[in-house]
Amino acid sequence: VVVLAGATSGFGSIGISGWSQDTAGIPDSTESGDKWGSDLKFGHYRSAAHADLVVAARGENGGAGAVTLIYGSPTGLTATGSTMITQDTSGVPDTSQADDRFGYLD
């Protein structure tokens, strides 16, 4: 996933960041077929001050799916405190099953 930070003047080369499941601090690791980054959504999930990024991996664990939440900070996105959520995460209804595609946003 490549994030281009924008401003009212448009996009520039400052503020570009790259993310993968192998980025330090991001939970899990890259595996064939994960499709990490298949769906993306910015929002304010922890704080209204900084935009956070939800990254779907609809192919994770045999297609059961997962989402990774990367939090925003005053300097941009940070892997610190990022979390991966599946249907097996406490508080999430149901359980993971092959081909659930949990986190698929479309």
Side-chain angles (χ1 to χ4, degrees):
V1 173
V2 176
V3 177
L4 305 171
T8 55
S9 59
F11 293 106
S13 59
I14 297 173
I16 297 174
S17 59
W19 301 88
S20 78
Q21 286 181 300
D22 293 329
T23 299
I26 299 295
D28 207 26
S29 60
T30 300
E31 302 155 326
S32 177
D34 279 352
K35 298 182 181 170
W36 195 83
S38 57
D39 298 283
L40 306 168
K41 178 130 178 114
F42 274 99
H44 296 273
Y45 305 105
R46 179 169 65 177
S47 163
H50 311 290
D52 308 309
L53 177 63
V54 173
V55 181
R58 62 176 127 163
E60 182 74 38
N61 298 328
V67 295
T68 302
L69 184 53
I70 303 172
Y71 292 109
S73 75
T75 58
L77 294 173
T78 176
T80 301
S82 64
T83 186
M84 186 170 97
I85 301 166
T86 70
Q87 285 182 293
D88 293 329
T89 300
S90 179
V92 176
D94 210 356
T95 58
S96 293
Q97 299 170 8
D99 297 321
D100 275 350
R101 308 221 187 292
F102 177 78
Y104 181 58
L105 301 173
D106 193 3

